[in-house]
């Protein structure tokens, strides 16, 4: 199983997710030889799997096409493309309390994707391990773009802040 970890291009690092995946590799649940991470502005350097900061879109697309599973922050730009390709996606939302984003809007986005049956969702190491264990039996819903409703949900959430 080839895994692509994607944390987006935000100026906020997402070291927490990268460290957790490293720990899971060290514990033997994942094989780091089959993992590559796009780590963006994170400072953490994985010990058990390959990583790169940012690469050209066409090169990233090749990694995406090869991957069986994507573990991603809950940004729509990293979640929707693999869903459209029928990939299995585990979303791991960035959190304000850890300095990973300005607010917790990714919790709401993750909830929408997961309730729709499109993704699995984890918020910590234990939940990520459970999601990994569920991958073989997880059959994601076929993703249908619903930009109008997604935009409304995002606007409603932002206006409620």
């Amino acid at each position: 199983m080839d895994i692509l970890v994607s944390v987006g291009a935000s100026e906020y690092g997402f070291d927490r997710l990268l460290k957790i995946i490293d720990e899971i590799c060290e514990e033997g649940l994942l094989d780091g030889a089959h993992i590559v991470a796009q780590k963006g502005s994170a400072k953490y350097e994985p010990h058990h799997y390959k990583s790169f900061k940012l690469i050209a879109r066409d090169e990233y697309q090749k990694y995406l096409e090869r991957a069986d599973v994507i573990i991603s922050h809950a940004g729509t730009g990293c979640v929707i493309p693999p869903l459209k390709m029928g990939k299995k996606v585990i979303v791991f939302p960035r959190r304000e309390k850890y300095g990973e984003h300005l607010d917790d809007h990714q919790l709401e986005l993750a909830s929408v994707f997961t309730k729709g049956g499109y993704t699995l969702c984890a918020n910590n190491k234990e939940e990520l391990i459970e999601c990994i264990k569920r991958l073989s039996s997880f059959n994601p819903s076929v993703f249908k773009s619903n930009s109008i409703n997604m935009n409304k949900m995002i606007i409603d959430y932002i206006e409620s802040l």
Side-chain angles (χ1 to χ4, degrees), residues 27-91:
E27 294 164 7
L29 183 59
L30 291 176
D31 180 356
H34 297 281
I35 300 173
V36 64
Q38 172 270 316
K39 64 184 210 133
S41 62
K43 305 233 182 316
Y44 183 77
E45 290 294 335
H47 302 287
H48 300 287
Y49 58 93
K50 295 178 191 166
S51 68
F52 54 85
K53 287 200 174 281
L54 294 171
I55 55 176
R57 182 176 297 276
D58 59 332
E59 192 175 349
Y60 179 84
Q61 185 67 25
K62 290 177 186 173
Y63 280 109
L64 186 58
E65 289 169 3
R66 277 187 292 230
D68 301 301
V69 175
I70 288 70
I71 300 174
S72 176
H73 75 127
T76 56
C78 286
V79 176
I80 291 175
L83 290 179
K84 287 181 175 180
M85 297 170 75
K87 303 285 184 173
K88 293 183 180 188
V89 178
I90 299 173
V91 290

Side-chain angles (χ1 to χ4, degrees), residues 5-158:
V5 179
S6 185
V7 302
S10 170
E11 71 259 21
Y12 295 94
F14 202 10
D15 296 68
R16 181 171 61 106
L17 175 59
L18 300 172
K19 287 177 188 174
I20 288 170
I21 292 171
D22 227 2
E23 291 171 10
I24 292 172
C25 288
E26 188 172 0
E27 294 164 7
L29 183 59
L30 291 176
D31 180 356
H34 297 281
I35 300 173
V36 64
Q38 172 270 316
K39 64 184 210 133
S41 62
K43 305 233 182 316
Y44 183 77
E45 290 294 335
H47 302 287
H48 300 287
Y49 58 93
K50 295 178 191 166
S51 68
F52 54 85
K53 287 200 174 281
L54 294 171
I55 55 176
R57 182 176 297 276
D58 59 332
E59 192 175 349
Y60 179 84
Q61 185 67 25
K62 290 177 186 173
Y63 280 109
L64 186 58
E65 289 169 3
R66 277 187 292 230
D68 301 301
V69 175
I70 288 70
I71 300 174
S72 176
H73 75 127
T76 56
C78 286
V79 176
I80 291 175
L83 290 179
K84 287 181 175 180
M85 297 170 75
K87 303 285 184 173
K88 293 183 180 188
V89 178
I90 299 173
V91 290
F92 197 104
R94 291 172 174 270
R95 298 296 308 273
E96 177 186 23
K97 71 181 181 180
Y98 299 118
E100 298 163 349
H101 221 303
L102 287 174
D103 58 36
D104 282 332
H105 72 277
Q106 287 201 358
L107 290 173
E108 186 75 21
L109 292 170
S111 176
V112 169
F113 289 126
T114 303
K115 285 181 181 175
Y118 304 116
T119 67
L120 296 173
C121 181
N123 291 287
N124 56 47
K125 180 179 176 181
E126 293 73 25
E127 290 178 7
L128 184 56
I129 289 170
E130 286 306 310
C131 288
I132 291 165
K133 290 177 179 177
R134 289 183 53 206
L135 280 171
S136 62
S137 63
F138 175 61
N139 292 310
S141 298
V142 175
F143 183 76
K144 296 177 187 130
S145 185
N146 192 354
S147 298
I148 292 170
N149 287 339
M150 183 65 78
N151 289 344
K152 181 181 180 334
M153 183 215 50
I154 293 168
I155 290 167
D156 289 348
Y157 176 76
I158 292 169

